[in-house]
Amino acid sequence: MIGLYDSGVGGLSVWKEVYRLMPEQDYVYVADTAYCPYGDKPVGIIRDRAVRVSEFLMGKGADIIVVACNTATAAAIACLRSRFEVPFVGMEPAVKPAAAMSSAGVIGVLATANTFKGELYHNTLARVGDGVRVVEVVGEGLVEAVENGQDATALLEKYVDRMLSEGVDVIVLGCTHFPFLEDTIRKIAGPGVAVVNPAPAVARQVARIASAMKGGHPSAGESVFYATGPAVRLERMAAAIVGSKYNNIVERLNI
């Protein structure tokens, strides 16, 4: 069984890729919508939520837990790995592969403020080759737009144009909510700019860990969703991804 969680619906962009590789597995997904967005929350709160949600997922039988949130990964992944024995997979900032793709030597990263403050991001940044410049843009308001199903074109034009004015030719999606805006980002950026979504690479890592594990729980190919707060958007998006196989309502979770 694979457990995933995010502050809201953004982690569905990761779950979709994992599900595509391993549809036969059982999944438990938690959207911590009562505390969404995480991007501007104190680190202590994000860490506490990570522990509480992880304990719930393990209680439901999760053999692997995916922290399908860049902000939560930055704030809590080290704490979770030191505290619990199950394997945790987090969101690795895709700065290094983006740098290798760039012909101009200038890449843009669109993320939340807390992701940019995280040690994981700065450690990754330190491994980027000399001569590559990173343009960081905080995508303020984008998480809320995805959560509420709002048009984010005006915001994206402002953020993408800022990166284009700096000469970027690769844009990294540094928040799991942002792949749901990828088509609009590509349209604004134009065909000469590559967009990097780290979710497929994370899914491949989850598949590698799952294939190497022995034992675990028998799988029935079921997906169950929980929300600590508003759940309408989660239900609609999960149903759109799974299609006719989806027959569960989102359950309310009080933790």
Side-chain angles (χ1 to χ4, degrees):
M1 180 180 285
I2 298 171
L4 306 94
Y5 90 93
D6 178 44
S7 63
V9 301
L12 293 176
S13 67
V14 181
W15 170 71
K16 177 176 70 172
E17 297 295 336
V18 181
Y19 180 83
R20 184 176 60 81
L21 292 179
M22 297 182 291
E24 75 285 353
Q25 297 293 334
D26 288 336
Y27 296 91
V28 180
Y29 183 99
V30 172
D32 195 16
T33 50
Y35 287 80
C36 186
Y38 280 173
D40 57 357
K41 296 287 190 301
V43 169
I45 290 178
I46 299 170
R47 204 167 282 161
D48 178 67
R49 298 307 298 165
V51 170
R52 287 172 181 264
V53 173
S54 296
E55 288 175 338
F56 170 79
L57 290 171
M58 285 183 285
K60 300 301 288 186
D63 301 295
I64 303 169
I65 295 178
V66 183
V67 184
C69 172
N70 293 74
T71 302
T73 298
I77 194 77
C79 167
L80 295 173
R81 286 171 172 162
S82 67
R83 185 163 180 162
F84 302 115
E85 293 186 0
V86 301
F88 283 86
V89 179
M91 299 305 299
E92 179 76 17
V95 174
K96 191 171 181 181
M101 292 169 61
S102 176
S103 300
V106 186
I107 66 172
V109 181
L110 187 63
T112 67
N114 274 338
T115 294
F116 285 131
K117 294 174 186 175
E119 183 180 352
L120 177 62
Y121 174 76
H122 286 281
N123 288 343
T124 304
L125 205 61
R127 298 196 298 270
V128 175
D130 293 336
V132 176
R133 186 160 60 90
V134 179
V135 178
E136 299 173 354
V137 175
V138 176
E140 196 171 332
L142 295 178
V143 170
E144 293 88 339
V146 174
E147 288 291 325
N148 297 319
Q150 297 168 334
D151 184 6
T153 302
L155 283 173
L156 289 170
E157 285 176 344
K158 180 173 69 171
Y159 299 145
V160 173
D161 286 348
R162 189 184 307 169
M163 288 188 276
L164 295 179
S165 70
E166 296 284 343
V168 308
D169 62 351
V170 183
I171 296 174
V172 177
L173 304 181
C175 172
T176 55
H177 283 76
F178 297 169
F180 293 112
L181 305 171
E182 186 173 346
D183 289 345
T184 305
I185 292 171
R186 289 183 182 277
K187 190 178 296 184
I188 296 168
V193 177
V195 179
V196 179
N197 173 11
V202 171
R204 290 192 292 272
Q205 174 65 5
V206 176
R208 283 191 289 268
I209 294 172
S211 66
M213 292 181 72
K214 295 180 180 178
H217 296 77
S219 297
E222 296 180 348
S223 297
V224 182
F225 302 88
Y226 294 87
T228 61
V232 174
R233 183 73 171 154
L234 175 66
E235 176 143 359
R236 288 176 181 169
M237 293 179 71
I241 292 169
V242 180
S244 60
K245 290 185 179 181
Y246 181 79
N247 57 7
N248 295 312
I249 61 170
V250 176
E251 298 185 37
R252 183 64 186 268
L253 175 62
N254 294 307
I255 56 172

